[in-house]
Amino acid sequence: MLALMTAGSVFFPGLFLLSKHSLKRLLGWSEGDAATVSARVVSSIQAVMASSAGCIIMSSCKDVMNDHHWLANGYILFATPYFAYDIYAMFLCYWHKLQVKGHGEDDGSMSAAVPGYLRRELLMVLHHVFMVAGCFPASVFWRQGRGDYFQGVLFLAELSTPSVCLGKVLIQYKKQNTLLHKVNGAVMLVTFFSCRVLLFPYLYYAYGRYASIPFYAVPFVAPWQCNLGSAFLMALQLYWFCLICRGAFRLFTRTSRSPPSIKGTGGGDCHLTAANGYNAHGGSERETDMH
């Protein structure tokens, strides 16, 4: 257990530092650009790893409650440090953005930016804290080795993360008007809805099929901890999905109504991205990569 958690504690921050150093040295990027893109790279790699683990677990567990696969606990132990790392990585992205905009809070130090970061990313920080403080002990200890199949399904939630990260990189380099950005936004909508919003009803459906009880009866026989955790996580996903849909609607309606942009006017900065939930009043980002 300790070895896997130590490996994760080294792997994710180490990958971030390696990526940042490479982008700065090989491409000559600034510290802020390199740090921001590196954070997206690490999130995408973690998402691919988690989704792959989920597919392996689901394909190996025919009995959804009693079959076992070592990755169900193994990847949880390895990936849990990622959520602690990602809180800091998100803060670095926020702090560098403040420096670029030229209105760093107070004296411009990192410590002075913490309150603003927590106000802006409170839901995401709470989500990450809940994953470490709630989901980790529940998955490793409380479920007592049962339900590996369901753990694999939960890993598939990460399938939407690469499109989220790509959308943010495109926004960072002002590629809002490109076909790639629009296609990526559509992929983001489909994967987020399928792998995050529909995920929780599917868990209840799968258990109902296993226990031979109606779908609507599952919440009444499931442990209250499962119902509470599912309700909290699904509420976050629904909130973020509504933001994504609003951003997608405004992006495509604005694009269809606007005349072709004139080079150098910077009009693309006002566009909303379907994949990232930017608003039109300052471009605030609502990160939707639930980990």
Side-chain angles (χ1 to χ4, degrees):
M1 177 184 294
L2 185 59
L4 284 171
M5 295 191 72
T6 301
S9 300
V10 173
F11 178 77
F12 294 110
L15 183 61
F16 171 79
L17 292 175
L18 176 63
S19 175
K20 186 178 70 168
H21 177 75
S22 299
L23 290 174
K24 289 172 61 179
R25 182 163 186 174
L26 299 179
L27 300 180
W29 286 15
S30 67
E31 176 76 17
D33 284 347
T36 301
V37 172
S38 296
R40 313 305 185 207
V41 169
V42 175
S43 293
S44 296
I45 291 175
Q46 193 281 139
V48 171
M49 294 171 65
S51 301
S52 300
C55 290
I56 294 172
I57 294 168
M58 291 176 64
S59 63
S60 301
C61 296
K62 306 305 179 184
D63 186 313
V64 300
M65 288 300 298
N66 298 311
D67 283 355
H68 301 285
H69 195 284
W70 68 270
L71 275 174
N73 277 354
Y75 191 75
I76 292 172
L77 293 171
F78 178 75
T80 294
Y82 165 81
F83 295 99
Y85 143 81
D86 197 46
I87 291 176
Y88 180 69
M90 289 191 299
F91 171 73
L92 279 183
C93 294
Y94 171 80
W95 184 73
H96 283 301
K97 187 176 295 184
L98 288 182
Q99 309 312 303
V100 170
K101 290 181 178 179
H103 51 75
E105 302 189 14
D106 296 331
D107 57 0
S109 66
M110 284 192 173
S111 59
V114 171
Y117 165 70
L118 292 177
R119 285 193 300 269
R120 177 180 167 181
E121 299 290 353
L122 179 61
L123 285 179
M124 185 56 65
V125 171
L126 287 177
H127 169 266
H128 280 34
V129 170
F130 179 76
M131 294 297 290
V132 175
C135 293
F136 168 73
S139 298
V140 175
F141 303 111
W142 177 73
R143 69 186 182 92
Q144 297 179 341
R146 302 190 70 202
D148 284 9
Y149 175 85
F150 295 109
Q151 192 63 59
V153 174
L154 288 170
F155 287 157
L156 291 184
E158 296 291 349
L159 276 173
S160 63
T161 299
S163 59
V164 175
C165 295
L166 176 58
K168 290 177 181 179
V169 172
L170 292 174
I171 284 289
Q172 181 177 345
Y173 290 97
K174 298 184 172 55
K175 302 296 183 181
Q176 298 96 321
N177 296 321
T178 62
L179 177 61
L180 175 60
H181 177 71
K182 295 174 183 177
V183 171
N184 181 71
V187 171
M188 172 63 189
L189 281 170
V190 173
T191 55
F192 195 96
F193 181 73
S194 301
C195 300
R196 291 182 181 259
V197 177
L198 292 183
L199 179 145
F200 295 98
Y202 174 77
L203 291 174
Y204 281 77
Y205 164 77
Y207 183 79
R209 186 177 58 180
Y210 164 81
S212 299
I213 59 177
F215 171 78
Y216 63 82
V218 175
F220 298 101
V221 300
W224 67 268
Q225 299 95 328
C226 291
N227 290 328
L228 181 62
S230 296
F232 173 73
L233 291 175
M234 187 171 182
L236 287 178
Q237 308 315 312
L238 286 172
Y239 171 73
W240 285 321
F241 184 68
C242 289
L243 292 180
I244 294 169
C245 290
R246 185 177 65 180
F249 176 77
R250 292 182 180 177
L251 171 67
F252 287 103
T253 54
R254 184 185 294 264
T255 301
S256 62
R257 294 174 183 175
S258 299
S261 59
I262 300 175
K263 186 176 180 180
T265 62
D269 290 349
C270 295
H271 281 282
L272 296 160
T273 169
N276 298 283
Y278 275 68
N279 65 47
H281 307 288
S284 67
E285 180 183 295
R286 292 290 181 265
E287 184 164 359
T288 51
D289 63 328
M290 167 188 149
H291 305 295

